[in-house]
């Protein structure tokens, strides 16, 4: 009965991600708990009774530390990468690019988690919010099809993810260079077989914020900065 009044579970610190706010993160402080070791107290009391001793005991509960602390969470809120591209073409193409990117906004990628571009953005159908715009076909011709332009979204996300030092699981290049990034820095996609996938091989979550700034698509990644390097740069070799 006494232990039930004294015992209090520890509370881990919590982090909330608000990608649209100026202050992107809210962190709630941890709280230590209390635990009264009743088994040890009973042993001491029984020993005292057996010896015929009179004993007075102070009930001193032990402090139970939480597993997650606020100071650890604050280390996960650094901006670790940013990449943006200018979105051109028809309004339907622009809408496709920004619509696909919006599916990543607010995403939290846990350690070990794999992210698929196709699974995140969905099949390119009108029901999923995609419009017809120019697409590179198998014969390398440009024809209007649903979801035209989403390769610019996958490319922009790829460049941000690569600069954050995350592991690239799957990535394909276009059949000819893209106008919105340097040659070799693109990541084409095509539902359902050609995908762009990356994973979080870090020891802390990674947070994504995607947004439109004028006609530019911006992708930001937040997380725990890697102390082994300052930045990641991409280079391409032509053969």
């Amino acid at each position: 009965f006494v232990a039930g009044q004294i015992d209090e579970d520890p509370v881990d610190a919590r982090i909330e991600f608000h990608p649209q706010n100026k202050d992107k993160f809210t962190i709630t402080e941890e709280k230590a708990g209390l635990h009264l070791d009743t088994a040890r107290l009973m042993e001491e009391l029984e020993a005292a009774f057996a010896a015929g001793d009179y004993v007075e005991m102070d009930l001193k509960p032990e402090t139970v530390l939480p597993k997650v602390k606020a100071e650890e969470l604050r280390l996960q809120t650094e901006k670790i990468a940013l990449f943006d591209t200018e979105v051109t073409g028809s309004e339907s193409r622009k809408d496709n690019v920004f619509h696909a990117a919006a599916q990543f906004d607010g995403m939290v990628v846990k350690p070990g988690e794999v992210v698929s571009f196709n699974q995140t953005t969905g099949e390119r159908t009108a029901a999923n919010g995609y419009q017809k715009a120019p697409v590179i076909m198998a014969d390398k011709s440009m024809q209007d099809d649903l979801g035209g332009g989403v390769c610019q979204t996958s490319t922009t996300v790829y460049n941000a993810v690569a600069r954050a030092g995350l592991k690239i699981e799957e990535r394909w290049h276009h059949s000819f260079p893209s106008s919105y990034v340097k040659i070799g820095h693109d990541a084409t996609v095509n539902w359902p077989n050609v995908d762009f996938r990356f994973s979080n091989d870090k020891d802390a979550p990674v947070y994504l914020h995607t947004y439109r700034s004028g006609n530019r698509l911006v992708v930001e990644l937040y997380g725990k900065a890697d102390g082994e390097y300052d930045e990641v740069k991409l280079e391409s070799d032509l053969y």
Side-chain angles (χ1 to χ4, degrees):
F1 176 75
V2 174
Q5 292 182 319
I6 294 177
D7 281 2
E8 185 176 342
D9 291 334
V11 179
D12 288 339
R14 292 183 291 108
I15 185 169
E16 295 179 34
F17 182 40
H18 314 287
Q20 303 298 332
N21 295 352
K22 181 179 179 181
D23 295 326
K24 296 285 187 289
F25 296 92
T26 299
I27 296 176
T28 304
E29 297 285 334
E30 73 276 7
K31 183 180 179 183
L34 296 173
H35 173 66
L36 183 64
D37 190 343
T38 54
R40 180 181 60 80
L41 284 174
M42 287 302 297
E43 289 178 358
E44 293 179 0
L45 286 172
E46 289 174 356
F49 289 148
D53 295 333
Y54 173 79
V55 62
E56 291 185 1
M57 288 188 174
D58 292 330
L59 300 181
K60 295 182 178 179
E62 301 171 349
T63 299
V64 183
L65 298 177
K67 296 179 180 179
V68 182
K69 298 182 179 180
E71 61 184 272
E72 298 169 350
L73 296 181
R74 291 189 183 94
L75 297 176
Q76 301 175 12
T77 63
E78 297 290 326
K79 184 186 292 186
I80 56 176
L82 180 151
F83 193 80
D84 67 295
T85 58
E86 184 176 3
V87 184
T88 59
S90 64
E91 288 303 312
S92 59
R93 182 184 185 278
K94 292 178 182 179
D95 286 344
N96 288 335
V97 172
F98 294 120
H99 175 67
Q103 312 313 308
F104 288 89
D105 192 36
M107 176 180 284
V108 181
V109 187
K110 298 178 181 179
E113 186 175 355
V114 178
V115 177
S116 159
F117 181 90
N118 281 339
Q119 293 301 317
T120 300
T121 58
E123 185 175 359
R124 266 63 93 183
T125 64
N128 282 338
Y130 295 101
Q131 304 177 39
K132 286 191 174 183
V135 173
I136 301 174
M137 308 305 286
D139 61 0
K140 298 186 180 181
S141 64
M142 296 290 290
Q143 300 180 30
D144 280 356
D145 201 2
L146 288 169
V150 297
C151 288
Q152 181 162 357
T153 309
S154 56
T155 292
T156 310
V157 175
Y158 160 65
N159 276 268
V161 164
R163 284 165 172 76
L166 300 184
K167 184 180 179 181
I168 307 302
E169 299 285 349
E170 179 181 355
R171 173 246 169 192
W172 304 88
H173 62 76
H174 286 83
S175 53
F176 51 83
S178 303
S179 61
Y180 40 82
V181 288
K182 294 180 180 179
I183 188 169
H185 291 194
D186 58 322
T188 188
V189 291
N190 186 31
W191 181 275
N193 299 318
V194 180
D195 201 0
F196 163 59
R197 297 184 303 122
F198 67 93
S199 64
N200 179 6
D201 56 348
K202 310 296 183 182
D203 61 358
V206 172
Y207 306 83
L208 277 73
H209 177 34
T210 64
Y211 60 96
R212 179 175 185 169
S213 178
N215 281 326
R216 302 195 72 82
L217 170 60
V218 185
V219 179
E220 298 176 348
L221 272 74
Y222 294 82
K224 186 177 179 181
D226 195 315
E228 295 184 1
Y229 57 84
D230 294 325
E231 63 177 327
V232 175
K233 294 183 178 180
L234 303 186
E235 294 184 358
S236 298
D237 292 325
L238 300 180
Y239 297 95

